[in-house]
Amino acid sequence: MPILGRTPIAGRRHLRKELLSRPYAQELIASRIPARVAYTALDGTPRVVPVNYHWNGSAVVMCSAPKSAKVAALRANPRVAITIDSEPMPPRMLLLRGSASVEIVDGVPDVFLKAARRRTPDEYWDAWVGGLPALYSQMAVITVTPDWVKLIDFENNAPKAEEDLAREAAPEQMSWVTPIVRRQAQQ
């Protein structure tokens, strides 16, 4: 299956939807793992921040303080890259790219609570939620609809660089290579 970046424009939306509906993509989206969002700061340097997020079925939604550096940077340059990845071997990675839209809303939006609920332990929840109105009279709701998606699981697909290395390696050097990389290297 071609990666999204090389797919004809007419097929991109369908391929994004198909990739995002795969079981391990859904598993990553529903996990307690924070998303890591990469963006360009106002000074032109790269930033990566872990964030709580909510997947609404078609977009990654996260919230922030309206005066945060991230909000100012996304208003100036809305392009972002997002990754949600697993720790166990073989690693699984959901990679997304898109443009962020920022909306300032009054109070604490429900989407912020949905995003935080997955990662906040029950014993802290009530006290934490009770303190939010004192912190946030407004919040920025950041929505990223992916326009590029890639899944890597090292079982069904692997990064091209690893496939290329495996093709160049002698068979006895490939014991560490996962089955998909080994199969693709032999093609």
Side-chain angles (χ1 to χ4, degrees), residues 45-122:
T45 60
R47 298 288 196 284
V48 177
V49 294
V51 297
N52 287 331
Y53 65 93
H54 173 70
W55 176 254
N56 69 11
S58 61
V60 174
V61 184
M62 57 205 117
C63 297
S64 188
K67 294 182 180 180
S68 72
K70 174 175 55 221
V71 169
L74 292 175
R75 284 184 163 159
N77 180 355
R79 293 299 295 169
V80 299
I82 299 171
T83 183
I84 306 167
D85 51 79
S86 66
E87 290 183 12
M89 290 296 283
R92 291 181 170 184
M93 296 168 250
L94 174 60
L95 309 173
L96 310 166
R97 293 183 204 151
S99 290
S101 65
V102 178
E103 176 188 6
I104 305 300
V105 299
D106 290 331
V108 177
D110 287 341
V111 70
F112 179 70
L113 299 175
K114 287 178 185 175
R117 187 64 186 128
R118 290 194 335 249
R119 299 195 63 231
T120 305
D122 290 341

Side-chain angles (χ1 to χ4, degrees), residues 105-155:
V105 299
D106 290 331
V108 177
D110 287 341
V111 70
F112 179 70
L113 299 175
K114 287 178 185 175
R117 187 64 186 128
R118 290 194 335 249
R119 299 195 63 231
T120 305
D122 290 341
E123 62 267 23
Y124 299 113
W125 182 255
D126 290 338
W128 182 75
V129 169
L132 291 174
L135 288 174
Y136 299 106
S137 62
Q138 292 186 316
M139 289 195 87
V141 177
I142 303 163
T143 304
V144 178
T145 302
D147 57 28
W148 183 92
V149 175
K150 184 164 184 172
L151 290 171
I152 298 173
D153 68 358
F154 292 92
E155 293 169 6

